[in-house]
Amino acid sequence: MRFEPRRNKTASPRTRRLRVAGGALCAVALAAALVTGCGQNSGDDTAAETSEAAKVLPNQTTSPSGSPSGTASLTQDQTERKDLLSTVKVTFDTAATTAVGEVSGGKLTDLDLEGLDDEDDASGSPSPSGTSSSPSPEGSASPSGTGSASPSGTGSPSPSGSSSSPKWIAEVAEEDGTAHKVTIDAVSGDVIDSAPDADQSDADKKALADQLSQATQTPQQAAKVATDKQPGWVTSVGLDENDSKVLVWQVDVVSKDWNKTTFDVDAAKGTITNQQVDDD
């Protein structure tokens, strides 16, 4: 509370002595109440100042650590991210390891969590065949857990029931640029499908092989650069050229407020060249 400074007045020696004596009484009164004055105007002034103090006292309702309030209004996109990520148990890094294990000598070029901001996905992620595009929002498991994957190595479909689970869709390339699509159950970690891209031309293979030879940074390293800048869930990583024709890893990170930030990480230098927040 801010008190008005006392005005300077000329006082007689007797008045000063009375004020010294009265000061001790004021100290006791101030210990009992914040604003109990010792002058002639203490009654009205104290009531007014106490009323103002009550208005200033804050109500601490902000949620700690930056986590969103349970009553916060979410947009449709934020709600969809929240619902989908609440079911995911296999994290990006685990899915990446599983996908690469399906292709001998392969390197990951793209990995996306299916059904999440698909209409905004600029990384050109492959579309799986025969898989559901609307994962069920059932369950409440936290996606922050590491979740151990169980790659089968056979490419055979997983047990029944996986069609309703969220999925990681990966592209893994051989050294010559031959791409393979690998679909992974994002709850169990099982490989649902693994097969070469039948539509890939020889020119496509060469272009992909050239890009991989230039990408000295791994997708895992790019994901770490992005999450060091914005902690959250990595939901997409893809190798692509930006508008300046610089080869980058495009990394999508969903933060605790369910907003998505897309980072362009230089695939050779490991530095962030651009970032854009999608808070819709």
Side-chain angles (χ1 to χ4, degrees):
M1 179 185 301
R2 182 172 179 269
F3 292 91
E4 293 296 329
R6 190 184 297 273
R7 294 186 178 87
N8 293 326
K9 294 182 180 180
T10 303
S12 65
R14 182 174 180 276
T15 301
R16 286 197 294 269
R17 287 196 296 274
L18 289 175
R19 286 182 179 173
V20 170
L25 295 176
C26 286
V28 175
L30 285 171
L34 288 175
V35 284
T36 299
C38 292
Q40 293 179 350
N41 298 327
S42 62
D44 294 340
D45 292 346
T46 298
E49 291 170 352
T50 303
S51 177
E52 289 301 315
K55 296 178 183 178
V56 174
L57 293 176
N59 293 322
Q60 298 294 338
T61 58
T62 303
S63 178
S65 71
S67 60
S69 169
T71 59
S73 177
L74 300 178
T75 66
Q76 181 178 347
D77 285 344
Q78 289 173 318
T79 300
E80 290 175 355
R81 293 170 193 143
K82 179 177 182 292
D83 289 345
L84 181 58
L85 286 170
S86 68
T87 69
V88 174
K89 293 184 179 180
V90 177
T91 56
F92 154 79
D93 52 347
T94 301
T97 301
T98 300
V100 171
E102 287 293 307
V103 180
S104 178
K107 292 184 178 181
L108 185 71
T109 61
D110 198 284
L111 183 60
D112 291 286
L113 187 59
E114 183 189 31
L116 194 69
D117 298 299
D118 284 346
E119 69 279 6
D120 298 326
D121 189 357
S123 61
S125 61
S127 300
S129 59
T131 56
S132 169
S133 61
S134 301
S136 170
E138 297 174 358
S140 58
S142 171
S144 60
T146 55
S148 59
S150 302
S152 61
T154 61
S156 58
S158 64
S160 60
S162 63
S163 60
S164 63
S165 299
K167 299 172 183 64
W168 287 102
I169 310 300
E171 181 184 79
V172 181
E174 299 179 35
E175 186 176 356
D176 65 354
T178 299
H180 295 250
K181 295 180 182 179
V182 183
T183 305
I184 301 166
D185 190 302
V187 176
S188 68
D190 294 334
V191 174
I192 298 172
D193 185 63
S194 178
D197 184 356
D199 297 328
Q200 192 181 26
S201 67
D202 289 342
D204 291 337
K205 292 180 182 180
K206 184 178 185 306
L208 188 55
D210 289 344
Q211 286 185 335
L212 283 173
S213 66
Q214 300 173 41
T216 57
Q217 296 290 311
T218 67
Q220 290 87 345
Q221 288 173 322
K224 185 178 186 305
V225 170
T227 52
D228 282 347
K229 181 73 172 180
Q230 173 60 71
W233 294 269
V234 176
T235 60
S236 177
V237 175
L239 190 61
D240 201 358
E241 286 186 347
N242 63 13
D243 294 338
S244 301
K245 302 301 181 182
V246 175
L247 189 64
V248 297
W249 288 106
Q250 289 189 336
V251 184
D252 287 350
V253 179
V254 175
S255 52
K256 288 184 177 181
D257 58 5
W258 310 113
N259 288 329
K260 181 188 73 174
T261 304
T262 299
F263 294 91
D264 285 355
V265 181
D266 192 303
K269 300 177 181 179
T271 56
I272 295 174
T273 62
N274 187 48
Q275 69 182 73
Q276 182 175 356
V277 178
D278 180 1
D279 55 1
D280 292 338

